[in-house]
Amino acid sequence: MPRQCHVGATSLPQILPGTRSKRKRQIAGVDQEELQDPAILADPDSCFCEFKGVQIHHKIYDAESVATNLSEEGTSSQPPYANKRVNFPMILLHGFGASIYSWIRAMKPLAQITGNKVLAFDRPAFGLTARLNHVNHSSQGSEDTRPFNPYSMLFSVLATLYFIDFLAAQKAILVGHSAGSIVAVEAYFEAPERVAALILVAPAILAPLNSGPVVKDNPSGKSNQSEGEDLEVNCKENWFTTIFSILSKLSQYIGQTITRLVKGMGDMITSIYKKALSAFLRSAIGIMLVRMIIDKFGLAAVRNAWYDPKQVDDHVLQGYTKPLRVKDWDRALVEYTVAMLTDSASASKPPLSKRLRKILCPVLIITGDSDRLVPPWNSERLSRAIPGSCLEIIKKCGHLPHEEKVDEFVSIVDRFLERAFGV
């Protein structure tokens, strides 16, 4: 039953039905009055499986099913990649704010070029994967069944490795887009023997600066001084050097002591700050703020991700905003943000930028030349930081090569697989 409001003669004018009152109930054009369970919103080809107590939404395509569908649709021409086969399945990892939907255009072609299975899944807080109350979730069950925060990076990494087993494979090719690239790389470091190759699309990985030492033939800057002159200068400056050395060591010791004290205080302050920020985000005001941000900038961010925003039609917008119809999407997004702020597992590891040179599997990096979210120069630096990696830049393309330039994207992946696995 609709709400009824009784107003007096001196009250403000009534709001017409379907105007401002309706807008208040919408976030990014999605009605928030009747949010639903993910299973109700699922597509006919959607699948769900349970991992660590979380119902994860995923889709799978394989070459055989794609070929069957093409024949049923009356497509007479044979698929261009029908004879190719890679011995490894492919797992697709979406970026922040995205879902399986962002891979839909590329999944079938990728299944064709690999001749194998291609799987994409929604990470917790995104798509149609179940939104759990982390506080209640962590207090229920044994540690063996629910040991991880479902919104943490570690959970996404372990879920990725779980899907390799789910596909009954020893190894898989991991394809990560934007923030999904971080999950792909972290999954490699968690279990490098399970990853056959990495394909990083517009990777949101901060690449290190290449600032190696410069070796000079004459670092002292002197020219043609005799040995006698050097001895004379050294004798005169010897006592200065001795005093300077003593003072330098003393100041270094004092500096290290102060640094340890400041770091301890800084860690304590940082911990207090993170707890306070987490409490604020989980409050009613914090959730309202998240809803306001998504409402104001959500659709604009989708359009900004494309090279040509005019290509973002209603169908694309509906695909990206569909998860806003899921119950507790806002609370889950807050928990995801909190998990990123308080990720103790990642804090205990060296920065990702310092581990990139340890990647030994084949790596392909794809970026658009007009990416406004992750600039192409960062991908170029990233390719230099990962030994033997290949870099491909797609022209007139933004942050979503696998959506904007599907054919070119698939062709690049196909050539990479030929080089890496000889298919």
Side-chain angles (χ1 to χ4, degrees), residues 165-179:
D165 293 328
F166 184 85
L167 294 172
Q170 293 296 320
K171 293 185 177 183
I173 301 168
L174 302 185
V175 186
H177 170 246
S178 193

Side-chain angles (χ1 to χ4, degrees), residues 114-167:
T114 60
N116 212 314
K117 293 181 179 180
V118 175
L119 181 147
F121 71 95
D122 291 331
R123 304 203 308 279
F126 305 105
L128 299 184
T129 288
R131 269 65 165 176
L132 296 182
N133 186 320
H134 171 52
V135 177
N136 295 337
H137 176 71
S138 59
S139 63
Q140 297 176 359
S142 64
E143 292 186 357
D144 293 335
T145 57
R146 296 178 178 87
F148 306 113
N149 179 353
Y151 302 106
S152 67
M153 175 61 68
L154 180 58
F155 186 96
S156 292
V157 167
L158 295 180
T160 302
L161 299 177
Y162 162 78
F163 276 111
I164 298 178
D165 293 328
F166 184 85
L167 294 172

Side-chain angles (χ1 to χ4, degrees), residues 46-171:
S46 291
C47 302
F48 290 87
C49 66
E50 183 175 330
F51 176 69
K52 302 296 183 182
V54 181
Q55 290 292 326
I56 299 181
H57 175 239
H58 62 280
K59 293 186 179 184
I60 304 176
Y61 290 100
D62 60 66
E64 293 180 1
S65 63
V66 171
T68 301
N69 290 336
L70 289 175
S71 62
E72 291 178 352
E73 293 171 1
T75 305
S76 57
S77 60
Q78 188 177 6
Y81 309 105
N83 296 326
K84 296 191 176 184
R85 180 164 184 83
V86 178
N87 290 328
F88 312 107
M90 188 174 281
I91 296 178
L92 312 179
L93 302 162
H94 63 77
F96 179 84
S99 65
I100 290 175
Y101 173 79
S102 67
W103 293 111
I104 289 300
R105 300 184 183 188
M107 286 188 73
K108 290 182 180 180
L110 288 175
Q112 292 178 22
I113 68 172
T114 60
N116 212 314
K117 293 181 179 180
V118 175
L119 181 147
F121 71 95
D122 291 331
R123 304 203 308 279
F126 305 105
L128 299 184
T129 288
R131 269 65 165 176
L132 296 182
N133 186 320
H134 171 52
V135 177
N136 295 337
H137 176 71
S138 59
S139 63
Q140 297 176 359
S142 64
E143 292 186 357
D144 293 335
T145 57
R146 296 178 178 87
F148 306 113
N149 179 353
Y151 302 106
S152 67
M153 175 61 68
L154 180 58
F155 186 96
S156 292
V157 167
L158 295 180
T160 302
L161 299 177
Y162 162 78
F163 276 111
I164 298 178
D165 293 328
F166 184 85
L167 294 172
Q170 293 296 320
K171 293 185 177 183

